Amino acid sequence: MKLENDFEYVNCDYCGSENFRTILTSVDYYNNIPGEFQIVKCTNCNLIYTNPRPKKKIIDKFYPDTARYLQPQTPNFSGIFEKIKRIVLEIYYGYSNKTNLLLKIIYFPALIFSYNWIKSQCIPKYIKNGKLLDIGSSYGLFLYEMKNFGWHVKGIETNQGAVDYGIDKLGLDIVKSSIDDFEAAEKYDVVTLRMVLEHVFHPMDTLRKVKDFIKKDGTLIFSVPNINGFDARMFKSHWYSLHLPAHLTHFTKKSITKYLQSLNYKNIKFYYQNNDRDFYTSLKYLKNEKKSFVWIYKLLSMKPIRKLIIRPAIRIISLFNGTCRITVYANT
């Protein structure tokens, strides 16, 4: 694929400065599209972003239909973690009570450690007859869950196959549209963008536009990769969530705060996710390129080590705000 004429240098989205310094170069480990891509830091405000970046006319090349996040999954809410989630939502979030007292007693010890985990899942407090808009809804699994929890839901998604699946298989209201083209016919109590903001060309414009979709004192919830997370620092150019060049902006807690405060969002709160997938995928990228890491990957991938050491360690790191994915709550 010839890409030389399909990339462009851009100014900083936050402050408009054209001055930057290169901090990292890497390749597309996710889709294996040839090329080397550059991440820079604005020397004025410290925003980190991909530069040069793909032009809009060719960005779809980096979103093949085979991408994992566009592959549908069968909804399944019967596992132990789903039971715990349901109980936590009933106790702390005002969701309708469907769990008997015995189960609540049985799972009570686990509930103590689940509050932060639930917050990181982008699930809002319940509002009776509440309306929720999910931007970048993929094939609709999150929307399907929220609908089952009692929300009136709507989604927008750019991939036609994902839209068709959400409509035909899950019975959801999803429209094919980009955030730039979408016009809301009503205001929503909650708007969610789950791992979306890093993909948009102008985060400032997106956050400004989304604010107009939300009712007064409504809630914006979004998640983004955290380039200051421990595994980003550990794996550097092999970090899974770089996703170059599809990820255009690489956020930190500080840069998110600047964006939201400049647009007068309030009550900004951060929660750190504790999934270990990013760690293992990053390690896989590294061992595929450097054979000396093969034995490390095999050792750390052993089920007892993953279950008893790695996962608990990542959960602890998340409690100290150090993991690689951030979930953000803010009010209008």
Side-chain angles (χ1 to χ4, degrees), residues 29-58:
Y29 289 108
Y30 193 87
N31 293 311
N32 296 311
I33 293 175
E36 187 172 68
F37 311 104
Q38 180 174 274
I39 294 176
V40 306
K41 177 182 283 190
C42 174
T43 56
N44 181 53
C45 73
N46 293 324
L47 182 71
I48 300 172
Y49 55 103
T50 300
N51 206 23
R53 70 184 187 188
K55 295 179 181 178
K56 284 188 177 181
K57 66 179 183 179
I58 62 107

Side-chain angles (χ1 to χ4, degrees), residues 12-269:
C12 173
D13 178 70
Y14 181 77
C15 72
S17 173
E18 61 182 14
N19 299 315
F20 60 84
R21 62 181 179 88
T22 301
I23 62 171
L24 191 67
T25 58
S26 189
V27 299
D28 178 10
Y29 289 108
Y30 193 87
N31 293 311
N32 296 311
I33 293 175
E36 187 172 68
F37 311 104
Q38 180 174 274
I39 294 176
V40 306
K41 177 182 283 190
C42 174
T43 56
N44 181 53
C45 73
N46 293 324
L47 182 71
I48 300 172
Y49 55 103
T50 300
N51 206 23
R53 70 184 187 188
K55 295 179 181 178
K56 284 188 177 181
K57 66 179 183 179
I58 62 107
I59 194 66
D60 286 348
K61 294 179 181 179
F62 299 98
Y63 295 94
D65 290 339
T66 55
R68 183 189 59 78
Y69 48 78
L70 291 174
Q71 304 311 302
Q73 300 175 20
T74 301
N76 181 6
F77 305 127
S78 60
I80 183 171
F81 287 112
E82 295 302 323
K83 288 185 173 67
I84 293 172
K85 179 193 291 185
R86 179 80 222 187
I87 297 172
V88 172
L89 291 177
E90 291 174 4
I91 295 174
Y92 296 110
Y93 289 73
Y95 284 75
S96 58
N97 197 329
K98 295 183 178 180
T99 307
N100 64 55
L101 180 60
L102 178 59
L103 274 180
K104 289 183 178 179
I105 294 172
I106 291 172
Y107 287 119
F108 181 77
L111 305 182
I112 300 173
F113 301 100
S114 300
Y115 183 80
N116 188 74
W117 169 62
I118 295 294
K119 293 295 288 188
S120 72
Q121 301 302 301
C122 297
I123 300 178
K125 287 187 176 182
Y126 183 70
I127 299 174
K128 187 176 181 180
N129 296 318
K131 296 180 180 180
L132 182 149
L133 173 68
D134 186 41
I135 298 172
S137 56
S138 187
Y139 51 84
L141 187 62
F142 175 75
L143 275 182
Y144 184 82
E145 182 178 32
M146 291 299 99
K147 183 178 180 180
N148 285 343
F149 282 154
W151 289 88
H152 298 281
V153 301
K154 187 179 187 68
I156 68 171
E157 168 59 43
T158 59
N159 182 274
Q160 186 65 61
V163 171
D164 292 341
Y165 183 92
I167 295 173
D168 298 337
K169 302 297 184 180
L170 301 182
L172 296 169
D173 179 9
I174 303 178
V175 297
K176 184 180 184 301
S177 177
S178 68
I179 180 63
D180 293 334
D181 296 332
F182 182 72
E183 296 296 335
E186 58 184 330
K187 298 274 189 177
Y188 295 86
D189 298 284
V190 177
V191 172
T192 57
L193 300 93
R194 301 163 61 251
M195 295 297 166
V196 170
L197 200 61
E198 66 273 19
H199 295 270
V200 304
F201 281 84
H202 300 289
M204 183 69 81
D205 291 344
T206 296
L207 290 169
R208 183 182 292 110
K209 184 171 185 177
V210 165
K211 192 176 182 184
D212 290 336
F213 299 162
I214 306 173
K215 294 178 181 179
K216 180 177 173 56
D217 297 321
T219 304
L220 167 68
I221 307 175
F222 65 91
S223 56
V224 290
N226 170 27
I227 200 168
N228 271 348
F230 87 96
D231 46 0
R233 295 174 181 271
M234 178 185 298
F235 292 105
K236 296 181 173 61
S237 63
H238 294 89
W239 179 42
Y240 168 72
S241 287
L242 286 180
H243 278 213
L244 295 176
H247 285 186
L248 305 179
T249 308
H250 307 274
F251 293 99
T252 65
K253 181 179 179 180
K254 286 184 178 180
S255 62
I256 293 168
T257 301
K258 286 182 178 180
Y259 270 106
L260 294 177
Q261 288 181 342
S262 69
L263 294 169
N264 296 317
Y265 283 92
K266 57 189 179 182
N267 301 326
I268 304 167
K269 296 181 180 179

Side-chain angles (χ1 to χ4, degrees), residues 268-282:
I268 304 167
K269 296 181 180 179
F270 296 85
Y271 300 90
Y272 290 73
Q273 299 181 20
N274 60 25
N275 195 303
D276 65 357
R277 183 181 67 243
D278 287 53
F279 174 83
Y280 279 101
T281 308
S282 301

